[in-house]
Amino acid sequence: MERRKFIKSNALGAITLGSTPLFPDLLHGGGKKDKAKSYEEYLRKSAVPKEELDIFLHENSWAQFDPEVGYILGNYMPHDGIDKSFTLSTVMNDGKRTNAVYRDKPCRINTYGDSFTHCHQVSDAETWQEYLAGHLGEPIHNFGMGGFGVYQAYRRLKRREKVDKDSKYVILYMWGDDYMRSVFRCRYATYYKHWNDYGGYMFHGNFWSNIEMDLQTGELVEKENRIAVKEDLYKMADPDFMYENLKDDLMVQLHLLSHDMVNSDVDVKGLKKLAHILERPEMDFSTPGKMMATATALKNKYAFEATKYILRHTDAFCKEQGKELLLIHFDPYGVFKSMVRGEPRYDQEVVDFIQSNGYRFFDMNTVHLEDFKNFKLTLDDYMGRYFNGHYTPAGNHFFAYALKDTLVDWLHPKPITYRQDDSKWIGFEGYLPKH
């Protein structure tokens, strides 16, 4: 089995990565293509070196094991920030990212999603949640995590909101390929060839709860994590385990086929059945030349249908709990850039579904499109203002104030900084330190 390079931590408990940025959410199977190979061989080589699992399970690292959603944020200092800086990325006892602004006050806004929710590549005090908390005068909790799909964020949302009596407002944030991540049983198997775990300190993407199509019933079903016990994660070091548990994962196959990373012994019969269920009978797997386009189209359709299911259930759950839901979408690479070029967004089907169902929705892609028009910059230069892979601190600040009006209009009562009465002057309990 191939071994990724093991890199020791420095005195701060972080990995020295030079100037190489770490973008765990920007992996679409890109990079230098391997020669086409069998699906079985690819899966067997996805087995994780035991020493990397040792680090992930027993030392401070970017992520920590979770029995339901695979992993949540850990305590770490990735070397991935602006100007070659390290970023302080820490977690509180209840699993949210560390917050400091008005943290002693009750929190009525909880946020869930992927790395753009978690705010990867900035320190704890540089998240959009902290910027907004400072402006609105109340805390905003961050339960996002890099690498999550919509389904994993939904499962975390359900777990938290069942017990959180203070929160009334729930934000679910989605970006580019979150749709398909929901369906993977183990996202690690899709990107291990193009991602360096840095000895285990940046390991993530292990088995988690997911949603997938039952080919017998033609219905989407929710699946529990196949590795729900921490020490059982060592099973991922076994090539036989990886193969047996992923050989019939159709979304993994579609992802790899769409990037020309495998070319043989995939379950074409199962894929054709999936295409029939999704009413895509024109799918053609007959030749290698047609395989990539077919796999991409079917992958997207599968992911979109899963997302619709998740959003319906998220909306119903929030209503049952007496809570309000806001959906946010932003994809700077797969959607925003297409919009700048005047091309249709690839996920228009999901946007149409959201709008037709009347869900409260904030689309940051359109905000950036209008902002871009205000500059005489190339697209690359514009991206450099806000992004270092993910948002820089300046990007998070821009996002926070773009979202501000939507939140102020949504919240009742209004945040203390927007109340147009004298109640804010009654006292400063919760704002001034006690003596």
Side-chain angles (χ1 to χ4, degrees), residues 267-294:
D267 183 9
V268 174
K269 183 178 179 180
L271 293 174
K272 288 183 176 179
K273 190 167 187 178
L274 176 66
H276 177 75
I277 292 170
L278 296 177
E279 300 180 350
R280 290 295 186 272
E282 72 278 7
M283 298 290 100
D284 187 349
F285 293 92
S286 62
T287 66
K290 296 178 180 178
M291 189 77 81
M292 288 180 66
T294 292

Side-chain angles (χ1 to χ4, degrees), residues 158-374:
K158 283 185 64 177
R159 185 169 75 189
R160 176 69 188 186
E161 297 304 319
K162 284 180 179 178
V163 300
D164 194 327
K165 303 306 179 184
D166 291 324
S167 68
K168 180 183 177 182
Y169 300 93
V170 177
I171 294 175
L172 178 61
Y173 191 132
M174 300 172 285
W175 102 298
D177 68 342
D178 288 1
Y179 309 128
M180 73 187 73
R181 296 178 193 175
S182 299
V183 186
F184 294 136
R185 296 173 191 167
C186 173
R187 183 170 174 254
Y188 178 86
T190 69
Y191 63 73
Y192 76 92
K193 296 292 288 184
H194 309 287
W195 171 253
N196 193 330
D197 289 329
Y198 293 95
Y201 290 98
M202 293 297 294
F203 177 83
H204 66 294
N206 46 300
F207 283 83
W208 53 18
S209 302
N210 72 306
I211 183 172
E212 57 189 75
M213 186 67 73
D214 185 326
L215 296 182
Q216 301 305 312
T217 65
E219 300 290 336
L220 289 164
V221 292
E222 298 184 45
K223 298 285 190 176
E224 298 304 314
N225 189 356
R226 295 186 175 213
I227 303 181
V229 177
K230 185 175 182 178
E231 292 303 315
D232 284 350
L233 197 66
Y234 285 109
K235 292 178 180 178
M236 287 188 67
D238 181 0
D240 289 341
F241 178 87
M242 296 299 289
Y243 175 66
E244 290 300 323
N245 282 273
L246 295 173
K247 63 183 180 182
D248 59 346
D249 188 322
L250 296 182
M251 184 56 93
V252 170
Q253 293 179 51
L254 288 170
H255 177 79
L256 298 177
L257 286 168
S258 69
H259 292 287
D260 197 25
M261 297 171 70
V262 297
N263 75 338
S264 65
D265 63 294
V266 294
D267 183 9
V268 174
K269 183 178 179 180
L271 293 174
K272 288 183 176 179
K273 190 167 187 178
L274 176 66
H276 177 75
I277 292 170
L278 296 177
E279 300 180 350
R280 290 295 186 272
E282 72 278 7
M283 298 290 100
D284 187 349
F285 293 92
S286 62
T287 66
K290 296 178 180 178
M291 189 77 81
M292 288 180 66
T294 292
T296 298
L298 187 56
K299 174 182 70 174
N300 288 341
K301 182 59 179 176
Y302 190 8
F304 296 161
E305 289 303 311
T307 301
K308 295 174 190 177
Y309 172 101
I310 297 162
L311 295 183
R312 289 190 195 100
H313 283 72
T314 304
D315 179 62
F317 171 80
C318 288
K319 288 177 178 175
E320 290 170 3
Q321 298 295 318
K323 304 192 178 191
E324 297 186 28
L325 175 66
L326 170 66
L327 302 176
I328 295 177
H329 189 280
F330 182 45
D331 180 354
Y333 304 100
V335 172
F336 168 62
K337 286 188 173 182
S338 295
M339 294 171 71
V340 169
R341 294 190 293 264
E343 301 168 355
R345 55 187 296 168
Y346 91 99
D347 63 347
Q348 187 64 50
E349 181 177 337
V350 174
V351 176
D352 291 344
F353 172 82
I354 290 171
Q355 294 175 339
S356 66
N357 281 275
Y359 299 142
R360 186 176 282 106
F361 180 52
F362 179 80
D363 190 350
M364 191 62 187
N365 300 287
T366 60
V367 174
H368 270 291
L369 181 61
E370 292 306 309
D371 185 58
F372 175 70
K373 294 176 182 177
N374 293 325

